[in-house]
Amino acid sequence: MTTTNAITWFEIGTDRPDEAERFYGELFGWEFAEQGAPGRSYRVTGGGAGGEGIGGAIRASDGSTPNYAIFYAQVADVADAVRRAETAGGRVLVPTFTAPSGLTFAHLLDPSGNHFGVFTPPPGR
């Protein structure tokens, strides 16, 4: 897979995932499929009919963190992107993390305080 630093994923974190799924489904016609582990809802959508949109998901939260909507840029090296973001004046919100699936990601804040993410897909994807 060629990485181009493109925006290829979005995530909506909410303590009301059923309401968010209903809202975005009614507004945009998005359909969602549950892919989370038990007790950790992660509802994935293609983000648009005909493959025209980027994919994304609704992540259920327990209400202990603020609700959010962020985009993710796919990068070749998450740790390097984090270093470059800090050099450019950004801050790390969620440090580099690698999930058991091999997906590596981090959450950052730009100098204005906007929340966004960077990720590298699991090997072979």
Side-chain angles (χ1 to χ4, degrees):
M1 173 179 274
T2 302
T3 303
T4 62
N5 299 320
I7 305 302
T8 60
W9 194 254
F10 68 88
E11 183 175 274
I12 299 164
T14 179
D15 56 352
R16 299 189 319 240
D18 292 334
E19 186 176 326
E21 181 175 338
R22 180 200 54 78
F23 175 81
Y24 289 104
E26 287 180 14
L27 179 62
F28 298 128
W30 294 351
E31 296 179 3
F32 293 85
E34 180 68 49
Q35 292 189 354
R40 298 191 56 111
S41 178
Y42 200 69
R43 303 164 189 209
V44 177
T45 181
E52 294 177 16
I54 65 170
I58 295 172
R59 176 181 297 281
S61 70
D62 62 7
S64 64
T65 59
N67 291 341
Y68 62 88
I70 66 171
F71 64 85
Y72 284 86
Q74 184 174 332
V75 297
D77 183 330
V78 170
D80 181 58
V82 167
R83 282 190 297 277
R84 289 185 292 114
E86 288 179 309
T87 299
R91 292 184 338 179
V92 176
L93 187 61
V94 175
T96 301
F97 177 80
T98 301
S101 67
L103 174 87
T104 302
F105 68 91
H107 288 200
L108 305 165
L109 295 173
D110 72 15
S112 297
N114 295 302
H115 182 177
F116 69 100
V118 292
F119 81 102
T120 301
R125 289 196 185 172

